[in-house]
Amino acid sequence: MMTKRIIPCLDVKEGRVVKGVQFVELRDAGDPVELARVYDEQGADELVFLDISASVEGRKTMVDVVQAVASELAIPFTVGGGINALDDMKRILRAGADKVSLNTAAVNNPALINEGAAFFGSQCIVIAIDAKYDESIGTWRVYTHGGRTPTERTVLDWAEEAVERGAGEILLTSMDEDGSKAGFDLALTKAVGDAVSVPVIASGGAGNAQHFLDVFTEAKADAALAASIFHYKETGVGEVKQFLRNAEVNVR
Amino acid sequence: MIGIIDYGMGNLFSVSKALERIGVPYIISDSPEELNKTKGVILPGVGAFKDAMARLQEKELDQFIHQYVDSGRPLLGICLGMQLLFEESEENGRFQGLGLLKGRIVRIPDRDQNGERLKVPHMGWNKLHFHQEAPVLHDIQDGYVYFVHSYYADGIDEQALLASAEYGVQVPAVVGQGNVSGMQFHPEKSSATGMQLLTNFAKAMERSEELL
């Protein structure tokens, strides 16, 4: 039986982890490699690094980070942020990442998904979708540019198209729930999961272990991603997994 | 010294880093001459079966692999590298493999026996069920490993099935016969369990050298 995956997400800017990560046992809470190791020890199934560098230099630094993480870690990891072309994917994957995550660039140029999947295989291509419910159309709308720009696309249509073009996984973030700590968006996660044939990673809204249980059992998510509750040690990956195990959810 | 066969289809970086972590020296090469100096080889692989076979043939690495196996030294295929060890694959057509193990590579069905939909690729951590004892499985207790694949080996010899995982069908996960072995998952991405499996392969390699 497959296990449900728990995936901590780290924001990396100019080669350093940002967004207040609080691990007291760390010498240096900004070091992506050290943090990655801590999450690995806690039993994280996978990691996502989101490169939020604004500069070209920052993006180059990310390649060094990817190399260092790949040298230290024996769990899969995904890198997203600033990947706009096949060359960007090559740089990141050859440095040792297992998957790249595309968001705005894929919406602007969907053929990029085909190119990436043809070159590296679908298993390397994660499509990240930022979703927000829109009453006027009665469904979720796709946003780009870190949630700042509404598009004409609906989430379900875009997810299906992305998979047809070769996406191997959907990283689905609910903008409605993101930061709320009120739980994952179950309706959204379930709707996308039912629509596509590839794994769906639920993101946005995790506040406690029960929320992970809900998204796995009620919304059938394959994996769930969270940032702040792990960073701020509100709960640990191990605690969430123990809770899930007690509820008879299959975890590693 | 382990040789990692470089035929342009593998995630060589993660395999080589894993070997560094467990302290096993290695070379990465596409030259049969170079690779022939090693005590064991790993055939990695990510991508499509047809392209992979074509590249092996282009570099005459298919012949090399057969000669290497005949010499008695161990070979480990990982992911697509394991699938290449079998007779043929139905991925995007029908293509011949290396034929070192009996069986063919077929697509994972998109429904299980109860008609429930299965996501393909089979992606994530799945539990190993052990069928037989083998040196490569020594000290493996927590048997969770990381899979990413859409095809699996069907119709294999029962004696060659060392471990499997359940995903709608019984997915052969660790296979082995004589000095030929394969892992459908990625040991180099499977945390401590994966490192133990690679360590076991390296140890088996040292022992096989004593036997030669």
Side-chain angles (χ1 to χ4, degrees), chain A residues 6 71 120 129 142 154 174 202 211 231 236 248-249:
Chain A
I6 305 290
S71 297
F120 294 104
I129 303 178
V142 176
T154 68
S174 163
H211 296 152
H231 298 337
E248 295 184 350
V249 171

Side-chain angles (χ1 to χ4, degrees), chain A residues 194-251:
Chain A
D194 285 343
V196 299
S197 57
V198 301
V200 173
I201 305 166
S203 158
N208 58 46
Q210 179 69 42
H211 296 152
F212 287 87
L213 177 61
D214 294 341
V215 83
F216 289 142
T217 56
E218 288 178 38
K220 307 253 171 69
D222 299 283
L225 176 140
S228 52
I229 62 159
F230 295 139
H231 298 337
Y232 294 118
K233 298 184 90 175
E234 289 166 26
T235 184
V237 176
E239 288 168 67
V240 170
K241 286 191 156 185
Q242 193 50 53
F243 183 86
L244 292 169
R245 223 172 267 128
N246 293 344
E248 295 184 350
V249 171
N250 212 7
V251 290

Side-chain angles (χ1 to χ4, degrees), chain B residues 37-171:
Chain B
K37 293 175 188 159
T38 62
K39 295 185 199 167
V41 287
I42 291 179
L43 181 64
V46 173
F49 191 96
K50 175 190 165 194
D51 301 343
M53 272 313 290
R55 300 238 194 157
L56 284 177
Q57 284 157 356
E58 218 169 89
K59 293 175 181 276
E60 297 184 354
L61 286 164
D62 55 333
Q63 295 166 33
F64 161 75
I65 290 169
H66 277 281
Q67 287 158 10
Y68 197 89
V69 168
D70 288 343
S71 77
R73 288 170 288 178
L75 161 69
L76 172 65
I78 294 176
C79 198
L80 176 63
M82 159 181 147
Q83 299 186 352
L84 295 168
L85 306 177
F86 289 89
E87 291 163 313
E88 61 171 19
S89 168
E90 65 165 40
E91 183 178 355
N92 305 325
R94 193 168 172 162
F95 302 97
Q96 286 227 308
L98 292 166
L100 293 162
L101 296 173
K102 183 180 160 279
R104 64 195 301 264
I105 306 304
V106 300
R107 191 164 170 86
I108 297 172
D110 58 8
R111 305 232 166 230
D112 69 11
Q113 299 94 322
N114 307 321
E116 289 277 312
R117 200 176 63 167
L118 282 174
K119 305 229 164 167
V120 179
H122 171 213
M123 180 186 282
W125 297 82
N126 205 339
K127 195 171 176 58
L128 291 178
H129 300 279
F130 302 104
H131 296 266
Q132 298 174 60
E133 297 212 357
V136 79
L137 299 179
H138 275 173
D139 295 324
I140 305 294
Q141 279 148 17
D142 153 32
Y144 283 104
V145 290
Y146 187 78
F147 288 85
V148 187
H149 64 120
S150 301
Y151 290 79
Y152 74 104
D154 190 29
I156 75 170
D157 266 337
E158 215 172 291
Q159 309 94 285
L161 183 64
L162 303 182
S164 66
E166 213 45 59
Y167 194 67
V169 290
Q170 184 187 61
V171 174

Side-chain angles (χ1 to χ4, degrees), chain A residues 71-104:
Chain A
S71 297
E72 291 281 334
L73 270 201
I75 59 172
F77 69 100
T78 302
V79 175
I83 294 169
N84 296 311
L86 191 64
D87 276 346
D88 297 327
M89 296 186 217
K90 286 183 187 168
R91 244 175 346 110
I92 293 294
L93 291 170
R94 285 188 179 150
D98 300 284
K99 310 174 195 176
V100 288
S101 156
L102 308 173
N103 191 333
T104 305

Side-chain angles (χ1 to χ4, degrees), chain A residues 35-222:
Chain A
L35 270 164
R37 199 183 299 127
V38 170
Y39 282 126
D40 180 23
E41 281 162 11
Q42 292 184 352
D45 296 303
E46 230 172 294
L47 292 172
V48 169
F49 293 89
L50 201 55
D51 183 6
I52 56 168
S53 299
S55 64
V56 176
E57 288 71 32
R59 300 253 183 259
K60 285 187 184 138
T61 311
M62 193 63 199
V63 172
D64 300 333
V65 171
V66 170
Q67 256 174 4
V69 170
S71 297
E72 291 281 334
L73 270 201
I75 59 172
F77 69 100
T78 302
V79 175
I83 294 169
N84 296 311
L86 191 64
D87 276 346
D88 297 327
M89 296 186 217
K90 286 183 187 168
R91 244 175 346 110
I92 293 294
L93 291 170
R94 285 188 179 150
D98 300 284
K99 310 174 195 176
V100 288
S101 156
L102 308 173
N103 191 333
T104 305
V107 174
N108 291 342
N109 174 21
L112 194 57
I113 304 173
N114 304 69
E115 278 179 55
F119 201 87
F120 294 104
S122 289
Q123 78 287 342
C124 288
I125 312 297
V126 180
I127 296 302
I129 303 178
D130 291 335
K132 192 173 165 56
Y133 194 76
D134 188 329
E135 299 251 343
S136 69
I137 53 171
T139 187
W140 296 272
R141 188 185 286 283
V142 176
Y143 279 67
T144 56
H145 300 91
R148 290 190 300 276
T149 314
T151 71
E152 290 306 307
R153 292 175 181 276
T154 68
V155 170
L156 295 181
D157 287 348
W158 174 229
E160 282 178 34
E161 181 182 337
V163 171
E164 260 166 48
R165 288 178 177 275
E169 219 170 9
I170 302 287
L171 168 51
L172 181 64
T173 300
S174 163
M175 291 168 58
D176 300 303
E177 296 301 336
D178 202 26
S180 73
K181 300 204 173 161
F184 294 97
D185 190 330
L186 303 180
L188 168 70
T189 306
K190 183 157 191 334
V192 174
D194 285 343
V196 299
S197 57
V198 301
V200 173
I201 305 166
S203 158
N208 58 46
Q210 179 69 42
H211 296 152
F212 287 87
L213 177 61
D214 294 341
V215 83
F216 289 142
T217 56
E218 288 178 38
K220 307 253 171 69
D222 299 283

